[in-house]
Every structure is written in C-alpha cells, then in structure tokens.
Amino acid sequence: MTDESAPKDLRDQAPRQLPARRIDNDAQAIDAAHEVARLAKPGAAARDRERALPWRELEHFTALGLGGISIPREYGGAQVSYATVAEVFRVICAADPALGQIPQNQFGLLNVIDNVASDAQKRVLFGGVLNGRRIGNAGPERNTRNTLELKARLLPDGEHFRVSGEKFYSTGALFAHWVAVKAIDEQGRAVMGFVERGVEGLRIVDDWSGFGQRTTASGTVLLDNAPVAGSLVIHNGRLADVPNIQGAVSQLIQAAIDAGIAANALEDAIEFIRTRTRPFIDANVEQASEEPFTIAEIGRLQVELHAAEALLESAGHVLDEVSARPIDDESAARASIAVAEAKVLTTEVSLAASEKLFELAGSRATLAEFNLDRHWRNARVHTLHDPVRWKVQAVGAYHLNGARPARHSWI
C-alpha cells in the first residue's frame, strides 16, 4: 500500500484461481524456481519502495506448480525432497525475499495437513493446491501472552462451524483462496479451520507496516462468525502429542529465506563496489575492488554465505532421512537441531552481508535511488520471526546434555 495511514480492507477482493502446471520431480521444481526468480528480480526494489504487492510474480509461482511440490505422490504431488524445498525458497528469495515469504506458511500447513488430516480432507486440500489454490495463514494473535495462546473460537453451527477472532502476521492470507485459521473449539482443543475466501464474516486488511519484508501483506485477518465447512476443520493440536518434524520443516524454509536475503545483499555489494564505489585515498589503487581490506571482507562474507548454504542443504537432507522412516522422539529432535544450526548461520550471514554492504560500498550506497537498505531491513525483520538465541541454546543443550528441543513451529 502506498498510503500507510489508510490500510486497505480487502474483504471484497479475491485472488484468481489459475490452472497450475504439475511438477513431477526435483529438477523441474528447481528450474521453475529459477524462472520465478528471473521474473521477480528486476522489479523487487521498486515493489519494496512503493509497497506494491507481487501479485503477478506470485501467480506465476502458482501457475508453474511450485505451490504443491511437497504434496505426497499418493495425492498427486511431486513429493520433492526437503533439500529441494529449501533450495526453491533460497533461489526465489535471492531475487525477492518478500515474494518467497508469502507461500512459506502454505508449505508448513501442507505438512500439518499431511500429519493430522483425514484422507478425505487431504484429497480436498491437496487437490485444491495442485489445481492452483493457495492457502494463507491466520494463526498468530497480537494481544496474547505468547505465540501459542489463542483467543479465536470455533463453535458448531449445525453440520458446520463458525469462527470468530482477530489475527495478525497473517502472511499469505491476502493472496489465499483458503485462509487457515487457528482457534480453540468448544472442548478447549486447538483446531484449524480452512475458511473459504469471500465468505461473509471474513475481512482481510492490508495494514502491514513493518519496515522490512514490506510486500508480504502480513497484516490483519478479522473473523466475525465466518462459516467453516465441517469437513475442513482439522485437529492440529494433535501434533503436540506425537513426534513429528512440522516445526523443523517450517524453520527450514525460514532459514532458506534468510540465506536468499544474504545472497542478494552480497551480490548487490559486489556489483556496487565494482561499478560505483571510489577507492579510499590511502589505498593507492585505481578501483575500489582492488582494495585489499575490501577484498578480504568480501572473501569472509563469501565463506560465511557458503557455510550457511551448505548447512541449510545438510539440514534438508537430515529431514529427508528422518522422514523416510517412522519418526520417534530422538529423530524428531535431531531434525530440529539440524535446522536450528542452519538457522543460526543464515541469520548471522543475512545480517552481516546486508550491513557490511554499506561499509564496503561507501556513502553513495545509502542514496534512496538504489534502495540497498532493503536488504538490511528485510534481514532484520525476517530474522526476528524466531529468536536465534534460543536456537543456539537448544543446540548446546542437545549436544551437551542430551536435552530435546520443544515441539512447536518456532524451534
């Protein structure tokens, strides 16, 4: 939105549902990600500056079939590896991290569906995604003690349900055909209802004003007795009772987004230093790219980025290995720790690369015409999603004392 003082109420708008291509394997998924990145990258800086939402780019993502690549083969999906899912998000986020963040919750939700939904529910929801539908998030609430507490309520209404509540940080909801709403049912259980876009009682407000990830539309969802089909309510609270990798899957994608931000920032730093930065007077060189201290700092960042990317890929392989057999408490913990280790490095390098850009590129790089500050703004905002200090603690507790991490989406 261009006028931040006037949030847009989008209850009367609905996304188009376009036919989606079917992706059959990992190579096709990665090729499609590069195609989306090529489309998205040229306009990313302008979209950030103007808060222009990436509708065209997201619809291309959907039309290419990327939204359903993690769906199991028995339901018509490609069931690509987790390492490939991470690479798809890393590639897209190296072009536009806001675009990459929009479908992240869909992938987490698909994993939830696979774990707790009935076969009939999977056929409806997975089939919809494979046919071009998007799922958005309406889970977190602002006025609660923590991210797990919910005030939204889902109550029976004949054979169906009604849900009421207020949500925020609702990334993807604005672009979605189904809005996945977390709530508490009449028995006090955590449930999730998939609300059809356009129903009476559902309002989506584009009031996200964060200084980074500006075009994710991670704003407000308002629910006032919005109808939910009885067949589209799942008991996601069951995930807390059994070993699973739902949190690790969610965090793997978060880490991939940060890795993409870091790669984008470092790429822009190198290009700016090569083409626009003047050398420091005491360096006695013709080009800023010949300064020895600058060369060393770029080298250090490149090493750190490659280390983070390698750990991200390794974490994806751990998830693939763990998910290939029945998951127990120890294998679930191992998956979470592997992803936590990757998330520590991707957080650190995204912040370092986006900040070092200015130190090495010089004062000209701060001019608004280049909008290079978007890299730091994106890194700073997105890495706040989950406190990395708790990941370091979880890794230490696991290796030192054998303590398994908590079982939720934020570790």
Side-chain angles (χ1 to χ4, degrees), residues 30-251:
I30 292 173
D31 286 346
H34 282 286
E35 183 175 335
V36 172
R38 285 191 293 271
L39 173 70
K41 188 170 184 175
R47 286 193 298 274
D48 172 88
R49 182 184 294 111
E50 299 165 8
R51 288 189 182 266
L53 300 179
W55 278 100
R56 181 175 71 112
E57 292 75 16
L58 183 62
E59 288 183 342
H60 194 55
F61 173 97
T62 303
L64 289 177
L66 284 167
I69 58 174
S70 66
I71 290 174
R73 293 186 187 92
E74 64 183 295
Y75 293 98
Q79 196 176 342
V80 302
S81 69
Y82 288 111
T84 291
V85 170
E87 179 64 5
V88 164
F89 276 87
R90 189 199 67 81
V91 166
I92 293 172
C93 290
D96 183 353
L99 172 65
Q101 187 181 340
I102 291 166
Q104 79 172 47
N105 285 311
Q106 174 166 304
F107 278 70
L109 291 165
L110 290 174
N111 188 263
V112 172
I113 293 165
D114 193 37
N115 274 282
V116 300
S118 68
D119 178 72
Q121 290 171 326
K122 290 178 185 180
R123 294 194 182 281
V124 171
L125 294 168
F126 287 159
V129 170
L130 290 170
N131 286 322
R133 299 201 115 205
R134 289 187 291 271
I135 304 176
N137 177 54
E141 300 177 11
R142 282 196 284 194
N143 300 315
T144 55
R145 291 174 300 173
N146 55 56
T147 54
L148 290 176
E149 183 182 9
L150 297 173
K151 294 183 179 180
R153 292 294 183 265
L154 183 139
L155 300 174
D157 180 23
E159 296 181 356
H160 302 291
F161 293 87
R162 298 270 177 179
V163 61
S164 296
E166 181 175 340
K167 303 291 185 173
F168 195 62
Y169 305 112
S170 301
T171 306
L174 187 154
F175 307 93
H177 303 88
W178 279 309
V179 179
V181 180
K182 291 182 180 178
I184 301 298
D185 70 7
E186 62 178 342
Q187 299 178 44
R189 300 174 300 182
V191 294
M192 179 182 294
F194 291 82
V195 180
E196 188 79 27
R197 184 64 178 274
V199 299
E200 188 69 27
L202 170 66
R203 294 174 58 198
I204 299 175
V205 184
D206 180 15
D207 58 351
W208 173 245
S209 61
F211 62 71
Q213 296 295 86
R214 288 178 169 179
T215 62
T216 58
S218 301
T220 298
V221 169
L222 300 170
L223 301 134
D224 182 10
N225 282 317
V228 188
S231 59
L232 292 182
V233 175
I234 65 175
H235 294 277
N236 60 302
R238 295 173 184 165
L239 283 170
D241 301 327
V242 296
N244 63 82
I245 59 170
Q246 191 273 327
V249 171
S250 175
Q251 289 299 302

Side-chain angles (χ1 to χ4, degrees), residues 245 317-328 331-332 334-335:
I245 59 170
H317 290 314
V318 171
L319 265 64
D320 290 325
E321 178 188 337
V322 167
S323 63
R325 54 184 59 90
I327 299 171
D328 57 23
S331 63
R334 187 161 65 88

Side-chain angles (χ1 to χ4, degrees), residues 49 268-269 272-273 276-278 354-377:
R49 182 184 294 111
D268 277 359
F272 203 95
I273 292 165
R276 291 187 171 91
T277 303
R278 295 184 297 180
S354 56
E355 195 279 331
K356 276 285 183 181
L357 184 159
F358 297 103
E359 177 186 336
L360 301 178
S363 57
R364 189 180 179 191
T366 67
L367 297 181
E369 64 188 275
F370 302 116
N371 197 24
L372 293 174
D373 60 299
R374 73 186 188 280
H375 299 305
W376 182 86
R377 289 187 285 99

